[in-house]
Amino acid sequence: MSDFLIVGAGVIGMLTARELAQAGASVTLIDRKACAQESSWAGGGIVSPLYPWRYSEPVTALATWSQTSYIHLAQQLLEETGLDPELRQKGMFMVDVHDEEEALAWGRKYHRPMERVKSDFLYQKEPNLVADQSSALWMPEVSSIRNPRLGRALRRSMEVTENINLVEHQTVESLLVENQAVIGVNTDEGAIYADQVVVAAGAWTQELLAPLNIDLPVEPVKGQMMLFKAPVGMINRVVLMGGRYLIPRNDGRILVGSTLERVGFDKTPTEEASASLYETAVSICPALKGCELEHHWAGLRPGSPEGVPYIGAVPGVRNLHVNAGQFRNGLVLAPASTRLLADLVLGRDPVINPEPYRLQGRI
């Protein structure tokens, strides 16, 4: 029997397992699919909230801690597994922003490098952007990571860590409860017991908690994206415009995203979204008209009020914890969210004030 059982092997579940295992705990990590095949795979991998000044302080606190830690995490995973998550430290342009003064004030308040740049600087860096933009906001420290490769590197890390037991393709059907305490989970292949259980199941978290009369306001929010096969250097940095973005990869491929749809657990890509995303892509970078469209897909984000995640113990049920509800910023907030959860369950001094994320008083 493990010290901890984690339900959900996305990036947050795997990083939680990694944090606990590095502290010496034994961990079982279980997922109904292979690791990182839901929103961890489907997202874009920008290591910053979109328009970060429009988020509340609790999101900023997690994002700030995580952005620095990704540099070390990417290096550690490459050395540990031989798999490169492709962290690109190239910066982000935000074009045609209507609330620039609020953005610049936020940057000063939180000591985040951000400046307004003129068109000559913008087009020197990104000559293929749509013409006639007079200025942009520039955040030089923003990174992006190739999230499917991050998922593969983390999965390999799970495999080579002796005190992590990875269980894939096994569905958790319910939580096992005795005397108001969780003692494990019931799966489609039988029961698995543990001293403590962490639910990190993304958009599916509430489904597991509902039978315990716990109403966690985490809901699936569909996002659709597309991928272009482009030559290396067509776009070199993340570009955000009109609420959507282009994200370049090392091999030249460019992602465009994303939609925001509340349609339950439906992940079907739609023709309407395809047309809209294509129009977004060529409106930001007209040269993409001549590039092959490789893929169009959808994923489900774990939506939560104001995007503030739920991290910590579940009130009224002993030995049960949650790490979910990061909404559009799962990858952005993952390192800080998982470190905070590990600090709480291991009785360590938390790296971030845990109060804004506690379930007590929020459900």
Side-chain angles (χ1 to χ4, degrees):
M1 184 169 72
S2 297
D3 298 322
F4 293 93
L5 188 154
I6 301 171
V7 182
V11 166
I12 286 176
M14 287 191 284
L15 282 176
T16 302
R18 183 181 171 89
E19 285 280 355
L20 295 172
Q22 288 178 344
S26 60
V27 181
T28 295
L29 176 64
I30 185 169
D31 199 285
R32 63 191 179 90
K33 292 186 173 183
C35 293
Q37 293 301 299
E38 288 290 352
S39 60
S40 295
W41 179 91
I46 305 173
V47 187
S48 170
L50 303 181
Y51 306 108
W53 60 92
R54 298 176 187 171
Y55 284 87
S56 63
E57 197 281 332
V59 174
T60 297
L62 291 173
T64 301
W65 198 93
S66 293
Q67 285 165 333
T68 301
S69 68
Y70 258 114
I71 299 171
H72 308 294
L73 176 63
Q75 293 171 342
Q76 289 168 356
L77 288 172
L78 178 58
E79 294 172 1
E80 181 182 330
T81 70
L83 300 173
D84 185 1
E86 290 192 14
L87 184 70
R88 290 173 57 92
Q89 297 173 267
K90 299 286 189 178
M92 176 170 71
F93 283 113
M94 293 168 284
V95 182
D96 194 24
V97 175
H98 69 81
D99 51 352
E100 281 191 353
E101 293 307 321
E102 289 88 342
L104 294 168
W106 175 90
R108 292 190 294 269
K109 177 180 179 180
Y110 290 102
H111 308 289
R112 305 301 298 170
M114 178 189 292
E115 61 180 314
R116 182 190 290 115
V117 296
K118 295 183 179 180
S119 59
D120 55 347
F121 182 91
L122 174 65
Y123 289 108
Q124 178 188 14
K125 297 288 188 182
E126 298 295 347
N128 291 309
L129 290 188
V130 63
D132 298 326
Q133 299 298 318
S134 60
S135 66
L137 290 177
W138 167 235
M139 293 188 72
E141 289 189 351
V142 170
S143 303
S144 64
I145 198 159
R146 196 160 184 167
N147 42 302
R149 299 193 181 190
L150 172 64
R152 289 200 290 272
L154 282 170
R155 183 184 185 278
R156 181 58 181 155
S157 175
M158 302 297 99
E159 292 177 325
V160 301
T161 304
E162 290 185 357
N163 50 333
I164 295 178
N165 174 33
L166 177 60
V167 181
E168 296 178 298
H169 304 291
Q170 193 164 325
T171 301
V172 173
E173 296 178 337
S174 62
L175 300 170
L176 294 174
V177 182
E178 285 187 1
N179 300 319
Q180 295 299 306
V182 169
I183 60 172
V185 298
N186 186 45
T187 81
D188 55 354
E189 297 186 26
I192 302 177
Y193 298 94
D195 291 336
Q196 300 189 64
V197 173
V198 178
V199 181
W204 289 265
T205 297
Q206 169 56 13
E207 289 195 329
L208 283 173
L209 298 179
L212 304 184
N213 295 317
I214 297 165
D215 185 17
L216 190 76
V218 173
E219 62 171 340
V221 182
K222 181 178 176 179
Q224 299 188 52
M225 299 187 69
M226 291 169 57
L227 179 69
F228 288 83
K229 186 176 182 180
V232 173
M234 178 172 285
I235 294 291
N236 290 296
R237 295 154 188 85
V238 175
V239 180
L240 180 60
M241 183 176 179
R244 290 185 175 174
Y245 48 80
L246 300 182
I247 307 172
R249 301 305 197 201
N250 285 351
D251 58 12
R253 287 176 169 82
I254 297 174
L255 284 77
V256 55
S258 66
T259 65
L260 194 67
E261 308 166 58
R262 286 176 165 81
V263 291
F265 287 92
D266 177 15
K267 293 196 298 179
T268 307
T270 64
E271 290 298 326
E272 180 182 9
S274 176
S276 176
L277 289 167
Y278 184 88
E279 178 59 32
T280 290
V282 299
S283 70
I284 299 174
C285 177
L288 282 172
K289 285 183 179 180
C291 296
E292 176 188 352
L293 179 60
E294 282 195 319
H295 192 30
H296 171 209
W297 68 92
L300 299 176
R301 312 175 184 91
S304 60
E306 297 185 1
V308 178
Y310 296 88
I311 304 170
V314 176
V317 186
R318 298 191 308 279
N319 306 330
L320 179 61
H321 314 270
V322 165
N323 195 351
Q326 282 77 6
F327 197 14
R328 304 189 75 177
N329 297 306
L331 285 170
V332 183
L333 307 183
S337 297
T338 54
R339 172 61 184 272
L340 176 58
L341 190 281
D343 288 344
L344 293 173
V345 299
L346 295 172
R348 303 184 306 206
D349 290 336
V351 294
I352 292 170
N353 177 14
E355 291 303 322
Y357 318 103
R358 291 191 189 278
L359 283 73
Q360 186 76 45
R362 297 181 64 203
I363 62 173

